Amino acid sequence: MAQTNSKSTPSFAPQLSVPATYMRGGTSKGTFFKLSDLPERCQVAGQARDNFLLRVIGSPDPYGKQIDGLGNGSSSTSKTVILSNSDKSDHDVNYLFGQVNIAKPMIDWAGNCGNLTAAVGACAINMGLVDADKINNSINDNADSGICEVRIWQENIGKTIIAHVPVYLDEKNKVQVQETGDFELDGVTFPAAEVKIEFIDPVDATSDMFPTSNLVDDFDVSGCGLTTDSVKATFISAGIPTIFLKAVDLGFTGTELQGNINSDGELLAKLETIRAKGGVAMGLFKDVSEAQTSQHIPKVAWVGAAQSYTASSGKSVDAGEIDLVVRAMSMGQLHHAMMGTAAVAIAAAATTQGTLVNEAAGGQKFDEVRFGHPSGTLLVGGKTEQVDGRWQAKKVSMSRSARRIMVGEVFVPADAF
């Protein structure tokens, strides 16, 4: 019998490799891509791009661990970033953020990640997206270090962010990003170089920072499982839309740690119902059901007066070193520290007299506040003012740190997207 040399078509899909950088930014981690490195069909918004990024991170995962991807089973690490040359004048890089849902096939593109913002400037420099002359000129003659000011266009929210990235001259006289240092950030185990971040005009000039036009509202929480049908709330849209409540109105102290919240399914359901109703009150949703497809915004946070507590690391936080305590939910879980975008909201609200956040800090006029969170403390600054009857945040600032963990290639099955 004659034999043929024909080969059968493989029944499996090969893996494709794509250049990627895995970075920590603030108290988050994410996978960073240069837009031009992505497969062509993933360079534009759409299902192919979402499916590709979902597979990179390892979602959806019914086990909640993202074992088959680069995520680590928490909202702080289930993140992707796409960087590209900016087409905006006076900007160096475009920054697009995607919050990947762990259990569902969803990516939320509605907001920014303030923590990963700290890594954008450094990553953009290392990816060659920042003009070489600008980088070289950031170090003065006869100096061996300096600060490179990277102007970032945050595409999700259409805002300018400035990252002050430390740089130095290496032994070959080439400018490099400084990543190690002695700056300590609560929620991060090891010290690193400080990166100062400025959020410029985080509120649209034509919008009110307080979407209801009130510093404090009577918020209808009927059906949310609380002991009352109405509580005081500050609704703010700065950094990220956030609902601030008094800790005591939720039956909390403001010193809760993740173990107190995240293992209580009934409590999480109450907080999610409050978040959905708050989204309607802020005009983000027409109906509470829409919250299911927008888990990134709004955030729910609660505040209380300064008080001593033990942080998740075992570190003692003394009431005398902070102005107030704040806890915030992220993607259905109490955040282990504080989201960077929520820190922007805290700064804007705390520096506006009359909000619940300002009242928790003592009610006086502030230019900056230090708040306590589950991992420790954070200092944030802000400047707010009324323009034509509307409250505006002109600038909010904070210090974070960032570090490359891995630079290489990520592998994705070709049939995944």
Side-chain angles (χ1 to χ4, degrees), residues 390-410:
R390 295 187 300 268
W391 280 99
Q392 299 287 309
K394 306 309 294 181
K395 184 172 73 171
V396 171
S397 61
M398 69 185 75
S399 287
R400 316 300 270 171
S401 64
R403 187 178 74 86
R404 283 175 297 179
I405 296 173
M406 184 282 298
V407 177
E409 296 176 318
V410 61

Side-chain angles (χ1 to χ4, degrees), residues 76-131:
S76 299
T77 58
S78 188
K79 299 173 181 281
T80 60
V81 170
I82 300 173
L83 302 182
S84 59
N85 291 111
S86 184
D87 53 355
K88 300 289 183 181
S89 61
D90 299 325
H91 289 76
D92 299 299
V93 61
N94 286 348
Y95 156 41
L96 183 66
F97 167 69
Q99 178 71 53
V100 180
N101 193 292
I102 296 171
K104 300 177 182 178
M106 290 171 45
I107 299 181
D108 198 325
W109 299 98
N112 177 33
C113 175
N115 274 302
L116 287 188
T117 297
V120 169
C123 191
I125 292 173
N126 289 324
M127 284 183 170
L129 294 171
V130 179
D131 182 75

Side-chain angles (χ1 to χ4, degrees), residues 177-231:
V177 173
Q178 179 189 341
E179 296 176 284
T180 58
D182 58 6
F183 175 74
E184 295 186 356
L185 178 64
D186 286 337
V188 178
T189 304
F190 303 106
E194 180 180 11
V195 180
K196 294 182 179 179
I197 303 294
E198 294 177 291
F199 298 82
I200 308 300
D201 292 323
V203 178
D204 290 334
T206 58
S207 301
D208 195 316
M209 185 165 67
F210 302 99
T212 64
S213 300
N214 301 316
L215 300 182
V216 177
D217 282 277
D218 292 315
F219 177 31
D220 177 12
V221 290
S222 56
C224 293
L226 301 183
T227 57
T228 181
D229 288 340
S230 179
V231 297

Side-chain angles (χ1 to χ4, degrees), residues 104 219-224 243 269-295 297-298:
K104 300 177 182 178
F219 177 31
D220 177 12
V221 290
S222 56
C224 293
I243 306 156
K270 290 180 182 179
L271 291 169
E272 176 59 18
T273 303
I274 291 170
R275 189 185 76 87
K277 296 196 73 166
V280 173
M282 296 180 76
L284 297 171
F285 311 138
K286 293 181 179 179
D287 184 81
V288 292
S289 61
E290 295 179 25
Q292 293 302 308
T293 57
S294 181
Q295 295 196 326
I297 61 172

Side-chain angles (χ1 to χ4, degrees), residues 23 26 50 60 219 224 236 243 258 290 300 304 357 360 370 387:
M23 289 195 73
D50 284 15
F219 177 31
C224 293
I236 190 170
I243 306 156
Q258 285 188 305
E290 295 179 25
V300 173
V357 183
R370 182 177 293 278
V387 179

